Amino acid sequence: MALLHHALTLLAPFATDDGSGGEFHGPSLDDFFPPVIFFEGTWFEINRVILIRFLVVALLLLLFWLGTRRMKLIPGRGQSILEFGYGFVRDQIVVGALGEKDGKRFEPLLITMFFFIVGMNITGIIPGINLAGSATAGLPIVLALVAYVVFMYAGIKKHPGAFFKNSLFPSGVPWPLYLIVTPIEFISTFLLRPITLFVRLLMNMVAGHMLLVLCFSATQFFFFSTDLPFTLFGAGTLAFGFVFTLFELLVAVLQAYVFTYLTAVYIQLALAEEH
């Protein structure tokens, strides 16, 4: 029923009442720039995307507060679920990339980052919301900058006098080759890392939203604007919409995992003696 409601709520914005005679209207980038709801014309403008982000933060805080306010030696269902998620991120990402010693230092940041991204991504398939909080550029940019700053901080703190030298002039390279190696290292280490984190997260969420809207808007078109036998195509697009909804759930979690794991790997490379 939730999937069906999701389909219907996605279809609503594409219903045509402009006398276009059932013309098909697919998704557009306008979905990611909704009108301002509060404080229009100020620096504090709030639209639908910002409200989604506020909602996700509030729900995450509430979820973890409820799950941890009465910790028990034998956990209940809610505590067990949170402990499983926490343990998965800690073991598979934090300790897996950084080890026990360094992992403890960056564990709060990385675990917070993972669950925050999951929460923002998953709103794209929640009925009545239907838009990921990470599907506009602002949030992925901030997350990429956080990862970049932590990477730089870790490297400079561990190697205060040699971090940039080790990064730009790796040992064992004949000095004439530094003319080629150093620019490549600079671009790949200090430019491409934050850019790829940003682009990967943003584009996956944008593509997922566009794909779902395309499926469900096509369903609306075939069901309500065409006659048999073309109406039957609506059943196919509706089925694809349900399948892609489940796929987007997987993508929402997977992208959070990839973003957090790469951040941990970049930190580990900054801490390494040779990187």
Side-chain angles (χ1 to χ4, degrees):
M1 292 302 295
L3 288 176
L4 181 58
H5 183 263
H6 174 67
L8 294 175
T9 53
L10 273 176
L11 294 179
F14 296 93
T16 59
D17 55 2
D18 57 358
S20 59
E23 180 181 352
F24 174 70
H25 290 269
S28 72
L29 293 178
D30 292 339
D31 296 352
F32 305 100
F33 302 96
V36 176
I37 301 174
F38 303 113
F39 311 121
E40 185 173 3
T42 71
W43 287 4
F44 305 100
E45 290 184 347
I46 296 177
N47 58 21
R48 180 170 162 237
V49 178
I50 302 300
L51 288 178
I52 290 172
R53 291 170 181 171
F54 285 160
L55 176 63
V56 170
V57 171
L59 289 177
L60 285 174
L61 291 174
L62 178 63
L63 174 65
F64 280 91
W65 177 72
L66 291 175
T68 58
R69 61 175 177 163
R70 295 177 180 174
M71 301 288 287
K72 299 178 181 178
L73 184 61
I74 301 177
R77 182 178 302 175
Q79 182 181 334
S80 297
I81 294 174
L82 289 180
E83 287 183 353
F84 172 79
Y86 178 91
F88 172 81
V89 179
R90 182 185 183 279
D91 296 337
Q92 300 299 319
I93 298 179
V94 181
V95 176
L98 294 169
E100 287 284 351
K101 180 180 177 181
D102 291 323
K104 288 181 179 179
R105 297 171 53 198
F106 298 97
E107 181 179 309
L109 171 69
L110 294 172
I111 291 178
T112 300
M113 179 179 287
F114 175 84
F115 285 105
F116 180 74
I117 296 174
V118 168
M120 289 297 172
N121 289 353
I122 211 168
T123 57
I125 62 170
I126 294 178
I129 299 180
N130 309 119
L131 182 62
S134 52
T136 57
L139 185 63
I141 286 176
V142 170
L143 290 169
L145 287 177
V146 169
Y148 182 73
V149 169
V150 174
F151 156 72
M152 295 286 287
Y153 163 80
I156 294 173
K157 185 175 178 62
K158 181 68 177 291
H159 311 285
F163 173 64
F164 292 104
K165 176 180 177 296
N166 293 341
S167 298
L168 299 176
F169 301 94
S171 61
V173 177
W175 70 264
L177 292 181
Y178 283 131
L179 295 174
I180 300 175
V181 172
T182 297
I184 293 175
E185 290 294 327
F186 174 77
I187 293 173
S188 63
T189 301
F190 297 105
L191 295 181
L192 289 183
R193 286 181 180 177
I195 291 174
T196 53
L197 285 175
F198 156 69
V199 172
R200 181 184 293 106
L201 178 60
L202 176 65
M203 290 297 101
N204 273 279
M205 294 303 102
V206 169
H209 175 83
M210 300 287 276
L211 187 60
L212 288 177
V213 173
L214 177 63
C215 288
F216 291 130
S217 60
T219 300
Q220 183 251 359
F221 172 74
F222 285 123
F223 278 168
F224 303 111
S225 302
T226 63
D227 299 321
L228 287 172
F230 296 103
T231 304
L232 300 178
F233 286 109
T237 56
L238 183 61
F240 276 118
F242 288 157
V243 171
F244 285 131
T245 297
L246 298 176
F247 179 72
E248 276 304 297
L249 175 61
L250 174 63
V251 170
V253 179
L254 180 61
Q255 287 305 311
Y257 178 89
V258 170
F259 193 103
T260 309
Y261 188 79
L262 286 177
T263 301
V265 169
Y266 295 158
I267 294 171
Q268 190 277 330
L269 291 174
L271 295 174
E273 294 298 329
E274 296 291 342
H275 54 278

